[in-house]
Amino acid sequence: MVFYRGVKRPIEIIYKSLNNSICCGHGYSTLTQRGNSVAESKGYLYKHADGPKTYAMSIRRYSAEISSMEQMNLIKQLRERTSAPIKEVKAALITSNWDIEAAQKDLRKRGIVLASKKSSRTAAEGLLALAQNEKKAAVIELNCETDFVARNEIFQYLALSLAKLALLLEGSQQTSAAIPLGLEHLEDLKMNLDHPKLSGEKSVQNAITEVAAMMGENVKLRRGFAMSTPSIGVISTYLHTSPQPGVGRIAGILSLEVEDQNVPQDALQRVGSEIAMHVVAAKPLFLTKEDVSSEALSNEREILKSQAESSGRPQIAIEKMVEGRMRKYFEEVALMEQKFVVNDTINVKTLISNLSKEVGSPVKIGSFLRMEVGEGLQRLEASNESEPLANAA
């Protein structure tokens, strides 16, 4: 007997078009069609006394067993479970004989295939997710293809879960500097998820693949960093364009180190949060002007000298022009030299000096990190370069 699991036209139309009799049994409608061969295995075989052999072909009539209302309820339930398109949900249910568990399994299997096909597409949108405890802060970047998916609650839930999991990774160096996370170690970890549409214990890679199937887009864990809390001091963070606590499109993280452990923590956190916001807005590349690499200095001097020489002024004037423009360059790239975005009458160096006086103990910035969703991805796609580390010092 050959079973057709999806019948687009009513069984009566098939009956009329074939002009055959219907024999019913065991909840099935059986079409009898004359022919010279027999459908393999379980077809009903008839032998007429005055005619050739005929064979029967059984076709499942869903309308006789599952009402339209029941079908709609199953479609609704499966869509709520998987967030898959209605067309895919209905096809999976028909293929699985309206068994919702089998249909869900079928969608997941096909979703993994679809996700793998999408893995070559550039995922330059997404979110940063930030998690923090008393020991350190961790930030990860989870990418997708469109901003629409980045706004999805399931995508945001996964991103936050990955950031919290990143806090469990033990760093090889106990330092307040921003350390890249080993994503290969993170992907091997198991995570317990508790979302109505994403639950149970899963590996990181399987969770990402499942969300990719739900969203219908390439979803990729791109990078992550962790920063340890100083032995005496605080870690301050700021997230820009944040749809909910813990996620955003740009992150600023920095550590403030202090000599006296009895200084008021609220003052450190207040100023630290302001500087983290400043890092997001001002995009510093180095902590101090002394940290600017010799290569960057050499390149900048060469450019500024060439610009000054085009003015046709004497050499002495050219040298003064270059030095003046180098000071401006330091104000652009070195955090401590930048004008404070909250109060541009002072620079960050002066802000830290004022904080030290306020708390009664020397304060310094240990390190900082700035990350932005998708930064450098288009350039990487074009040049096949390695992943950038983000702006950190």
Side-chain angles (χ1 to χ4, degrees):
M1 184 185 299
V2 179
F3 293 100
Y4 289 88
R5 296 186 173 179
V7 181
K8 293 184 178 179
R9 296 185 297 170
I11 201 73
E12 291 82 3
I13 296 176
I14 300 176
Y15 163 73
K16 290 178 182 178
S17 65
L18 296 177
N19 195 26
N20 287 308
S21 61
I22 301 290
C23 299
C24 299
H26 305 291
Y28 296 87
S29 294
T30 304
L31 298 178
T32 304
Q33 179 178 332
R34 294 184 180 276
N36 294 323
S37 62
V38 178
E40 189 175 356
S41 71
K42 297 183 181 180
Y44 294 110
L45 179 64
Y46 299 89
K47 179 68 172 71
H48 295 275
D50 56 351
K53 293 180 181 179
T54 60
Y55 63 87
M57 185 169 55
S58 294
I59 300 178
R60 187 65 169 267
R61 269 184 89 179
Y62 296 112
S63 57
E65 299 181 359
I66 299 179
S67 67
S68 297
M69 184 62 70
E70 289 173 322
Q71 291 178 17
M72 291 301 297
N73 285 336
L74 286 170
I75 291 172
K76 181 181 178 182
Q77 290 177 36
L78 187 55
R79 178 158 169 76
E80 288 177 349
R81 286 190 189 185
T82 64
S83 295
I86 292 179
K87 181 179 179 181
E88 297 293 334
V89 167
K90 185 175 181 180
L93 283 167
I94 291 174
T95 302
S96 303
N97 199 16
W98 297 94
D99 183 333
I100 191 169
E101 299 299 333
Q104 183 175 356
K105 185 176 181 180
D106 178 57
L107 280 175
R108 291 185 62 185
K109 285 181 178 178
R110 290 192 289 116
I112 292 173
V113 173
L114 291 172
S116 66
K117 290 179 180 178
K118 293 179 176 67
S119 62
S120 61
R121 302 204 306 234
T122 300
E125 291 293 335
L127 287 171
L128 304 177
L130 177 68
Q132 186 174 355
N133 57 24
E134 65 280 359
K135 294 183 179 180
K136 64 181 177 180
V139 59
I140 62 94
E141 179 178 357
L142 187 65
N143 293 131
C144 56
E145 296 177 48
T146 65
D147 182 62
F148 177 79
V149 167
R151 296 195 301 268
N152 186 282
E153 61 167 343
I154 303 174
F155 183 87
Q156 293 179 12
Y157 175 79
L158 176 62
L160 281 169
S161 300
L162 291 172
K164 293 173 183 177
L165 188 65
L167 287 176
L168 303 179
L169 290 177
E170 294 295 333
S172 58
Q173 302 178 23
Q174 295 300 317
T175 174
S176 61
I179 304 299
L181 295 174
L183 297 186
E184 65 279 4
H185 301 305
L186 185 61
E187 290 177 348
D188 291 337
L189 295 179
K190 297 285 186 179
M191 53 197 311
N192 287 306
L193 301 167
D194 188 22
H195 187 279
K197 298 180 183 178
L198 188 68
S199 61
E201 185 181 68
K202 307 177 188 294
S203 69
V204 168
Q205 190 57 56
N206 286 344
I208 292 173
T209 300
E210 189 166 335
V211 170
M214 290 182 189
M215 301 296 105
E217 288 192 5
N218 181 18
V219 176
K220 178 183 178 182
L221 177 59
R222 180 189 179 195
R223 54 181 175 163
F225 293 88
M227 185 181 294
S228 298
T229 305
S231 56
I232 305 177
V234 298
I235 287 181
S236 297
T237 63
Y238 175 77
L239 280 168
H240 186 64
T241 316
S242 178
Q244 66 165 301
V247 295
R249 287 189 57 84
I250 313 175
I253 308 175
L254 76 145
S255 61
L256 286 181
E257 301 175 1
V258 63
E259 294 183 2
D260 185 358
Q261 61 182 359
N262 296 317
V263 302
Q265 296 288 303
D266 56 344
L268 294 179
Q269 284 291 8
R270 171 177 52 81
V271 176
S273 296
E274 291 178 345
I275 301 177
M277 180 177 64
H278 170 96
V279 167
V280 166
K283 303 180 182 180
L285 300 177
F286 306 95
L287 179 56
T288 69
K289 63 181 182 180
E290 289 77 21
D291 294 325
V292 180
S293 65
S294 57
E295 181 181 0
L297 283 175
S298 176
N299 289 338
E300 190 65 20
R301 281 187 181 277
E302 182 179 349
I303 293 171
L304 294 177
K305 185 178 180 180
S306 176
Q307 292 174 347
E309 287 175 344
S310 64
S311 66
R313 296 187 180 184
Q315 188 63 33
I316 296 178
I318 289 175
E319 291 178 359
K320 289 182 178 179
M321 289 174 64
V322 170
E323 291 306 314
R325 292 177 182 178
M326 284 300 297
R327 285 193 295 271
K328 183 66 175 178
Y329 171 72
F330 288 133
E331 290 179 2
E332 292 175 353
V333 301
L335 175 58
M336 296 295 284
E337 304 299 323
Q338 289 178 333
K339 298 293 185 182
F340 185 37
V341 294
V342 177
N343 178 8
D344 61 5
T345 63
I346 61 174
N347 59 18
V348 175
K349 183 190 298 183
T350 302
L351 176 68
I352 294 296
S353 177
N354 293 341
L355 177 61
S356 299
K357 294 175 183 178
E358 179 183 347
V359 300
S361 179
V363 180
K364 69 175 183 178
I365 298 175
S367 60
F368 76 88
L369 168 73
R370 184 188 187 277
M371 281 179 66
E372 184 169 353
V373 170
E375 56 188 347
L377 273 177
Q378 297 297 340
R379 175 177 56 78
L380 288 174
E381 290 289 326
S383 64
N384 293 321
E385 294 179 14
S386 59
E387 187 70 69
L389 289 180
N391 296 348

